[in-house]
Amino acid sequence: EGRPRSWTLVITVCGDMVQPRGGRISTARLGRLLGRIGIEGGALRTALSRLSADGWVTSKREGRTSSYTLTARGQKEFGPATLRIYAPPRSGPVPLWTFVPKGVTGGLPLAGGTLLPGKAHGKGLLLSGALQPGPEIWDALPAEHRQAMERLAADLRSLSETPCDPLEAAAARLLLVHRWRRLVLRWPEVPAELTPAKMTPRDLHAAVAETYARLCPPPERWLDTPDGDMAAMPKADSSVALRFAPVQST
């Protein structure tokens, strides 16, 4: 799939690890984390320069230490995205569907050569109601969407064990959130009932929530710990513990 773009990884780090800890991260710690997944110092400097020029981050220097924080614009953009990224998984099956296969106008092909009629919707077809899950719906999703889900499932299988080293775990958590973030901000969520039986895990949202909770403690210890030129970051606020958790009624 190729190496992720450096500047998008910086944005993911800011949203996942920096915002709950006062909103600022040292260049040394950012470089250590991204260096673990193959982002070299020159690429990171280029990414930070681009983000600064585009008004996403701003830098601060104190002595020999430099750090970065999101601008007001960057923080504003994060609000709606954070709600989607860390939303709790569904607690049960979905009884009603609204499905929009683009490029399909006459009806959704079903087994036996019949068509499921629907209402015209832009350049596609809108289907609403109680639909029985079947391969036709999965096959009608854009190939990029299906591929993104399959790659996320592969990531989740590879993370069945939590890395012992805190930096390793921080890198794994970063890549998991980055993959999930790109999926949920680009595509509508596909409930588990509509994913192929052969795909493991089928419920990607629930699996991401479980894996994230398991991966969280070691990276949090790494962020809490000073190391050479890296000062300890401020303690995380309560938002980290509430990620993917169901909303509690009062």
Side-chain angles (χ1 to χ4, degrees), residues 103-125:
V104 178
T105 56
L108 184 66
L110 300 177
T114 60
L115 293 178
L116 180 65
K119 179 180 178 182
H121 178 76
K123 297 182 179 180
L125 187 76

Side-chain angles (χ1 to χ4, degrees), residues 27-165:
T27 307
R29 189 173 290 274
L30 185 59
R32 188 79 59 87
L33 175 58
L34 295 186
R36 178 59 193 84
I37 58 177
I39 305 300
E40 299 176 352
L44 176 57
R45 288 190 291 273
T46 299
L48 291 170
S49 177
R50 173 181 175 177
L51 289 169
S52 296
D54 290 346
W56 279 92
V57 301
T58 183
S59 62
K60 180 179 180 181
R61 192 166 190 89
E62 295 179 347
R64 299 175 60 184
T65 302
S66 60
S67 60
Y68 282 83
T69 186
L70 287 173
T71 61
R73 172 205 166 186
Q75 294 177 33
K76 182 179 179 181
E77 294 283 347
F78 260 89
T82 298
L83 293 176
R84 293 183 62 185
I85 294 167
Y86 301 108
R90 292 184 174 91
S91 58
V94 181
L96 300 176
W97 313 92
T98 297
F99 180 57
V100 185
K102 294 183 179 179
V104 178
T105 56
L108 184 66
L110 300 177
T114 60
L115 293 178
L116 180 65
K119 179 180 178 182
H121 178 76
K123 297 182 179 180
L125 187 76
L126 188 145
L127 309 171
S128 297
L131 304 179
Q132 291 296 321
E136 298 86 1
I137 294 180
W138 174 258
D139 291 342
L141 294 175
E144 288 180 281
H145 191 178
R146 296 197 307 269
Q147 186 179 66
M149 294 177 64
E150 289 164 352
R151 286 174 170 169
L152 175 60
D155 282 354
L156 290 164
R157 292 194 299 272
S158 72
L159 289 171
S160 59
E161 296 183 5
T162 303
C164 296
D165 180 78

Side-chain angles (χ1 to χ4, degrees), residues 15-32:
D16 187 62
M17 301 182 187
V18 180
Q19 287 304 100
R21 290 174 171 268
R24 184 173 294 278
I25 186 170
S26 69
T27 307
R29 189 173 290 274
L30 185 59
R32 188 79 59 87

